[in-house]
Amino acid sequence: MQPPPASLAALLTLPLPASLPAPRVRGRRATASAPTVAALQALPRRLALWPPRLAAAESRPPPSSPASAPPPLAESAGAGLDAGIGGSGGGDGGGGADLGWVRVFPHVLTASMANFLFGYHIGVMNGPIEDIARELGFQGNPFLQGLVVSIFIVGAFFGSLGSAALVDNFGCKKTLQIDSIPLILGAFLSAQADSLDEMLWGRFLVGIGIGVNTVLVPLYISEVAPTKYRGSLGTLCQIGTCLGIIAALSLGIPSESDPHWWRTMLYAACVPGVLIGVGMQFAVESPRWLAKVGRLDDARKVVERLWVSSEVEKSMEEIKTVVANDDSQASWSELLDEPHNRVALIGGSLFFLQQFAGINGVLYFSSLTFRDVGITSGILVSLYVGITNFAGAIVASNLMDKQGRKKLLTGSYIGMAFAMFVIVYAISFPLDEGVSHGLSITGTLLYIFTFAIGAGPVTGIIIPEMSGARTRSKVMGFSFTIHWICNFLVGLYFLELVKKFGVGAVYAGFGGVSLLSAIFAYNFIVETKGRSLEEIEMSMSPAAPGKRE
């Protein structure tokens, strides 16, 4: 196993993509702490500048007037995150800035810290792997270096498989807290490792934690966020991953002069795990899970606290119709029954296509592309790629609830295919060297940008939205298991394919898969914009009248 592809295997986004930047990463990291999340309660109205005004959900007309008083707050640990935020609990603020997203934002921000940690662990091995190999005694062994990186993916595979049982039994909130244990222990064990075995065990534990979280966070956001803002808030998964990667790359700069700095970097990875465990104590539980286990009063309190007051009664009726008192555990075999089999097939196919559309390959060869035009600094290349990726994520957050998931996903893959063919043209036809390099860089950045506005974030958002309440956790677990398998395979065999067929042929293949993905998305994806999870589930039921959108 070659080290580059093995490390790149971890770079595939789940629902989150592979690399991302963000200036002033340290400040970003601080925002996820429990004290900082609480501080969001006091932010002035300029918070309304993010996200920019979102289009009203098509199926839910806005109330004629704002609520006259805020909904009652439940007396629970979660009340601390949203007290005093969001005025009357949502809506357009009487014609002013749309603040309906503000109440739920601290809760989903805290959960998305898990994606920040995912990104951090992706990037943490990029720089110091040679120093780690030298100190732990496996220098010059590319297989073992690749194993240290790829064991992370193996752990994530098992974490994804086990995530459904944890969520069904303990709920999203407690599962996130429980899952912080392997994240903290794994980072600590890796940081103080004196042997290869200790390093491998530490990375494996971290992978288990990440595997659970990559399933859990988009599921949690989809079930907690108001329908109107669910798509935009769901992009926090991708944004968090990007910021985590940039944080790791930035913190890794001293490793160029300090061969032992990698231990500090891994010790630092314990901090976000602690913040997740503590911060989630102040977050709400999913109202869908609460209703499913018969805690309807608690579910209503969450809905009243976070959602538009005029929608509370209708939302609670829908939730009760679909999930109330259904406390039995869904079995994996139910994924073979209609309509769950269709959703599971779509979810697995989306991740399969996402991975084989070539994001790993583009990230790997982006450094070579930039090197051809004189940009040899790996940090600088990561910055260019990261800024592009981050820009795409921000665009996606603004468009997700305006244009809809289906349009973004289809358009994203069409853009990725076009970018791939631009690169193929640049490297396969006799062109002026400057023109060839310019087209290669343009195609690379265009590919990353178009990936970030659709294929990256939409894949993780659309699967829990299309899934039924009873099997949502298992559909997510299955889909992300496919993700990790394909992630590993692409990273393992990419260089071998390049050596055998050449870069142009491989990139042309990626372009073909991207076109196939666009066709798949157009024909099989159900538009979920502006529809509650219960509306979507009932519309996809075999007994429901009408056709899918």
Side-chain angles (χ1 to χ4, degrees):
M1 181 186 307
Q2 299 299 319
S7 62
L8 282 167
L11 282 174
L12 275 149
T13 69
L14 8 116
L16 343 344
S19 81
L20 269 226
R24 302 181 185 175
V25 173
R26 295 175 191 240
R28 281 287 187 175
R29 292 173 60 195
T31 60
S33 67
T36 307
V37 170
L40 285 170
Q41 301 165 12
L43 285 178
R45 289 180 67 86
R46 70 174 179 269
L47 268 175
L49 295 176
W50 192 97
R53 292 180 61 83
L54 299 172
E58 294 175 356
S59 64
R60 295 180 179 274
S64 58
S65 62
S68 58
L73 298 182
E75 294 183 1
S76 68
L81 279 181
D82 52 77
I85 293 181
S88 62
D92 295 335
D98 188 349
L99 290 171
W101 58 274
V102 179
R103 281 185 175 270
V104 73
F105 184 71
H107 304 270
V108 298
L109 177 65
T110 305
S112 66
M113 268 294 296
N115 289 88
F116 174 90
L117 193 53
F118 171 42
Y120 186 89
H121 279 291
I122 287 175
V124 75
M125 287 291 171
N126 281 359
I129 184 64
E130 292 293 339
D131 294 331
I132 295 173
R134 186 181 306 110
E135 188 166 343
L136 299 186
F138 56 94
Q139 184 180 15
N141 190 324
F143 174 78
L144 292 180
Q145 291 183 30
L147 184 62
V148 167
V149 177
S150 61
I151 195 72
F152 170 89
I153 300 175
V154 177
F157 169 82
F158 287 106
S160 295
L161 283 178
S163 60
L166 291 172
V167 175
D168 288 343
N169 282 286
F170 300 107
C172 296
K173 177 178 175 177
K174 286 186 178 179
T175 300
L176 276 166
Q177 292 179 300
I178 294 170
D179 192 51
S180 66
I181 296 174
L183 293 172
I184 297 170
L185 290 180
F188 183 82
L189 182 60
S190 300
Q192 60 83 49
D194 292 320
S195 67
L196 174 62
D197 289 344
E198 291 179 345
M199 175 60 70
L200 291 175
W201 275 112
R203 292 284 291 171
F204 181 76
L205 286 174
V206 166
I208 290 177
I210 294 301
V212 174
N213 280 342
T214 51
V215 171
L216 184 56
V217 176
L219 188 152
Y220 176 77
I221 294 176
S222 71
E223 294 194 346
V224 168
T227 299
K228 182 178 178 181
Y229 312 103
R230 192 175 62 230
S232 294
L233 292 172
T235 61
L236 286 175
C237 294
Q238 180 180 359
I239 293 173
T241 303
C242 297
L243 295 178
I245 293 172
I246 297 303
L249 294 174
S250 301
L251 189 59
I253 293 176
S255 66
E256 297 178 2
S257 57
D258 183 355
H260 305 293
W261 184 252
W262 61 272
R263 294 188 183 274
T264 302
M265 295 176 66
L266 290 172
Y267 278 126
C270 299
V271 177
V274 173
L275 296 179
I276 293 169
V278 174
M280 287 306 297
Q281 185 62 33
F282 300 93
V284 297
E285 180 56 87
S286 161
R288 271 87 178 191
W289 182 82
L290 291 171
K292 182 178 179 180
V293 297
R295 296 167 56 182
L296 291 175
D297 290 340
D298 291 334
R300 172 178 286 275
K301 290 175 183 178
V302 173
V303 171
E304 289 176 342
R305 185 184 315 139
L306 300 183
W307 295 4
V308 180
S309 55
S310 61
E311 296 291 332
V312 171
E313 291 301 328
K314 178 182 178 182
S315 298
M316 285 304 303
E317 286 302 318
E318 290 178 347
I319 290 174
K320 285 189 289 186
T321 299
V322 173
V323 302
N325 296 313
D326 181 17
D327 57 356
S328 59
Q329 294 291 324
S331 64
W332 285 99
S333 62
E334 290 185 44
L335 296 188
L336 300 176
D337 300 330
E338 184 74 20
H340 310 305
N341 57 353
R342 175 154 48 98
V343 178
L345 178 61
I346 292 174
S349 298
L350 283 176
F351 274 123
F352 176 90
L353 294 169
Q354 182 202 62
Q355 298 302 298
F356 284 96
I359 184 65
N360 262 345
V362 173
L363 289 171
Y364 176 76
F365 267 98
S366 63
S367 60
L368 301 182
T369 302
F370 280 88
R371 189 178 306 165
D372 286 340
V373 295
I375 303 174
T376 58
S377 170
I379 296 294
L380 191 57
V381 171
S382 297
L383 181 61
Y384 286 142
V385 171
I387 290 175
T388 304
N389 207 345
F390 185 73
I394 296 300
V395 171
S397 71
N398 288 295
L399 296 180
M400 195 69 68
D401 288 313
K402 294 178 181 178
Q403 299 300 319
R405 285 61 150 163
K406 186 172 183 176
K407 285 184 180 179
L408 282 183
L409 190 60
T410 305
S412 171
Y413 277 120
I414 292 174
M416 290 163 61
F418 176 76
M420 282 283 95
F421 295 139
V422 167
I423 299 174
V424 171
Y425 176 75
I427 64 180
S428 301
F429 291 88
L431 301 172
D432 177 78
E433 185 176 3
V435 174
S436 177
H437 290 164
L439 286 175
S440 295
I441 291 177
T442 300
T444 298
L445 295 181
L446 177 62
Y447 177 92
I448 293 169
F449 180 82
T450 52
F451 177 90
I453 66 173
V458 173
T459 304
I461 292 172
I462 195 75
I463 297 173
E465 290 182 328
M466 292 176 60
S467 304
R470 179 174 173 79
T471 58
R472 184 170 292 128
S473 62
K474 286 184 168 56
V475 170
M476 288 289 286
F478 168 78
S479 300
F480 272 93
T481 298
I482 299 297
H483 168 274
W484 292 114
I485 293 174
C486 297
N487 187 320
F488 182 82
L489 292 175
V490 171
L492 184 63
Y493 290 109
F494 173 72
L495 282 184
E496 292 298 324
L497 292 174
V498 169
K499 291 178 181 178
K500 185 173 183 179
F501 300 106
V503 178
V506 174
Y507 271 32
F510 289 157
V513 174
S514 296
L515 283 179
L516 180 63
S517 302
I519 296 172
F520 180 87
Y522 181 80
N523 287 283
F524 292 97
I525 294 300
V526 175
E527 182 53 70
T528 59
K529 178 191 70 171
R531 305 169 68 190
S532 71
L533 298 182
E534 289 69 36
E535 289 177 45
I536 299 167
E537 178 172 355
M538 288 186 285
S539 71
M540 295 188 68
S541 170
K547 298 179 180 180
R548 295 179 295 127
E549 294 186 7

